[in-house]
Amino acid sequence: MKWCCTDYGTTPYELASKLNIPLATMERVLRGEDGLTFLQLSKIASFFGRGVLFFLEPGPVDATQVHTPAFRTLANQKPELTGKLKRLIERVERQREIYLSLREELDNADLPRFKAPELPRDHPSKAARIARQWLGLAQNNTFDSYRAAVEARGVLVFRSNGYNSKWQIAKKSLILGFSLYDHDCPVIVVRKQDSESQQSFTLMQELGHVLLHQSSAIDDERDMQSHRGHERDANAFAGHLLVPETFLVQVKDGARPRQISEFDEWLKALRKTWGVSTEVILRRLLDAGRLPQAQYAAYREWRSTQPVPEQEGGSRKYRHREPSHIFGNTFVRTVLDALHGQYITLAKASHYLDGLKMSDLHQLERYYAGV
């Protein structure tokens, strides 16, 4: 229990407070005495996302057995990760294992299989051109179309919830997304952001890590501007993939406004067509030598001072569609196919789909059936 608390950045006393366990009980346990009921131990196990038996095993914890190499990679890259984010990473890994197990059971030839294209790792722009063809992207895109193209190549794409839940990356967190590399089925997780175009860049940045570096990665807002190593390459890859040279020639330099505050309006039509942000286009113009560094920096400074529109909480009227928003169509369809084939029970399907109520689960089935 002490190891779990340290691993997730909390203390036994904070744990006791969160789970309504008396402090006197916790103190007895810390002294090595009996004190916890099975129900209390179950609460602790659930809090840390582990089975009760984990806490009953003799001997010290072997971290290499508890955490996967991908998890340890992310934790080493960002030692300041919160306990909630660490639990999310482990939760994502379990969802991938569930998907792979169901895929094997179904033996469905239509389910996409991941096979990375051959890319030049030292030439991000050329790699992006090949990857764009591999994804089969058209000129007009949105986050949903980018996501569908990536999923069609055998990569699971999850997006965090906007509301407070076990699938949320908090708005105050600097983390924008992460990728868990696996030769059979990589997973990319994108944080829900105020702008879908920002999500598109995060998606392609993480895809860059998967395809170029074949490794797991976690990125925050600072990494977006990195000029070093893998982050620099992933950023360049994402920029060239979203705005290739054939797109960039459509930007009319002569129409560039003098006022930085008018840049969004200047690029509005192209932004909407390509499904990208103003900053991505400006960065591409900067790298191409068509925009002064001072103007790019001034735009970023101005943009950071602009108020973000308040997001409505919503009534969750379409609760049955939320698993699709979080886990993507590939994962959800696989769970529903396994349910229809009687490989799993309704209870299991509900558990795999974010605890969806039975009535919502049936509504989700009808939604995918087009009814």
Side-chain angles (χ1 to χ4, degrees):
M1 189 172 65
K2 288 179 181 178
W3 181 89
C4 284
C5 286
T6 301
D7 192 44
Y8 285 96
T10 188
T11 69
Y13 297 105
E14 290 171 338
L15 178 67
S17 177
K18 290 175 182 176
L19 300 182
N20 294 318
I21 296 174
L23 288 180
T25 299
M26 184 61 70
E27 287 173 349
R28 285 199 302 274
V29 173
L30 293 176
R31 291 196 300 266
E33 302 172 8
D34 292 339
L36 289 177
T37 65
F38 184 79
L39 179 59
Q40 289 169 332
L41 184 57
S42 297
K43 286 183 178 180
I44 293 172
S46 178
F47 179 84
F48 290 118
R50 310 205 176 279
V52 171
L53 292 178
F54 173 82
F55 295 89
L56 302 178
E57 293 179 359
V61 175
D62 183 349
T64 62
Q65 295 296 319
V66 176
H67 292 316
T68 65
F71 180 98
R72 296 198 299 275
T73 296
L74 301 194
N76 289 335
Q77 288 179 13
K78 295 284 188 288
E80 70 278 12
L81 285 181
T82 65
K84 185 172 182 179
L85 260 171
K86 289 181 178 181
R87 290 195 293 275
L88 175 62
I89 293 168
E90 290 190 320
R91 202 171 285 122
V92 169
E93 289 187 312
R94 287 196 291 271
Q95 287 293 89
R96 175 173 56 195
E97 293 307 313
I98 288 168
Y99 169 74
L100 290 176
S101 176
L102 295 179
R103 191 179 75 176
E104 185 177 347
E105 287 275 4
L106 291 169
D107 194 24
N108 186 346
D110 293 334
L111 284 174
R113 297 299 201 269
F114 176 68
K115 185 178 180 182
E118 291 290 333
L119 300 181
R121 297 190 183 187
D122 57 347
H123 202 308
S125 61
K126 185 176 180 181
R129 185 166 62 251
I130 297 171
R132 191 174 177 91
Q133 295 174 341
W134 178 67
L135 292 169
L137 295 176
Q139 176 164 310
N140 290 34
N141 282 289
T142 62
F143 172 75
D144 287 338
S145 66
Y146 286 129
R147 180 182 193 173
V150 174
E151 287 190 328
R153 285 301 184 174
V155 181
L156 291 178
V157 180
F158 293 175
R159 180 171 62 176
S160 72
N161 260 341
Y163 58 88
N164 188 24
S165 79
K166 64 184 181 181
W167 295 104
Q168 184 200 44
I169 299 177
K171 283 193 78 171
K172 64 181 181 181
S173 172
L174 294 177
I175 299 299
L176 298 176
F178 59 88
S179 50
L180 298 170
Y181 181 75
D182 179 83
H183 72 280
D184 194 26
C185 180
V187 186
I188 292 173
V189 178
V190 176
R191 191 186 93 188
K192 184 175 176 62
Q193 299 175 56
D194 298 311
S195 164
E196 290 212 340
S197 60
Q198 294 173 314
Q199 295 171 177
S200 297
F201 187 87
T202 300
L203 171 61
M204 295 311 178
Q205 182 187 36
E206 297 306 326
L207 184 65
H209 287 299
V210 169
L211 298 183
L212 291 176
H213 312 133
Q214 297 182 2
S215 63
S216 303
I218 185 165
D219 293 288
D220 59 29
E221 294 173 356
R222 295 163 297 190
D223 295 320
M224 290 272 289
Q225 302 302 320
S226 178
H227 298 281
R228 296 183 299 176
H230 283 187
E231 295 303 338
R232 175 200 60 209
D233 294 344
N235 290 338
F237 172 87
H240 281 277
L241 194 149
L242 293 169
V243 187
E245 293 295 336
T246 54
F247 285 17
L248 209 58
V249 297
Q250 299 177 46
V251 181
K252 305 303 180 185
D253 293 346
R256 184 193 311 152
R258 292 187 176 182
Q259 298 296 321
I260 297 296
S261 59
E262 297 175 6
F263 276 16
D264 282 343
E265 186 61 30
W266 167 46
L267 298 171
K268 182 178 179 180
L270 296 178
R271 283 191 291 113
K272 294 187 72 173
T273 298
W274 302 337
V276 301
S277 64
T278 297
E279 185 174 348
V280 169
I281 301 176
L282 293 179
R283 183 55 186 261
R284 289 285 289 112
L285 291 172
L286 172 67
D287 292 342
R290 293 172 53 188
L291 183 76
Q293 173 71 43
Q295 288 194 5
Y296 174 73
Y299 173 81
R300 292 197 72 236
E301 176 64 26
W302 172 81
R303 191 70 205 162
S304 68
T305 64
Q306 300 308 297
V308 177
E310 288 291 327
Q311 298 290 317
E312 296 183 5
S315 63
R316 300 184 73 184
K317 176 182 177 182
Y318 299 105
R319 166 65 177 130
H320 64 285
R321 297 189 197 175
E322 286 177 8
S324 303
H325 298 319
I326 302 170
F327 308 123
N329 286 324
T330 299
F331 183 91
V332 172
R333 286 185 181 277
T334 301
V335 172
L336 294 180
D337 286 347
L339 176 62
H340 295 158
Q342 299 184 337
Y343 293 100
I344 58 174
T345 64
L346 268 170
K348 276 279 182 71
S350 168
H351 176 66
Y352 297 159
L353 298 176
D354 191 32
L356 209 58
K357 292 180 180 178
M358 296 304 174
S359 57
D360 289 324
L361 181 53
H362 291 312
Q363 197 171 354
L364 179 64
E365 291 179 292
R366 292 194 293 272
Y367 172 72
Y368 272 94
V371 178

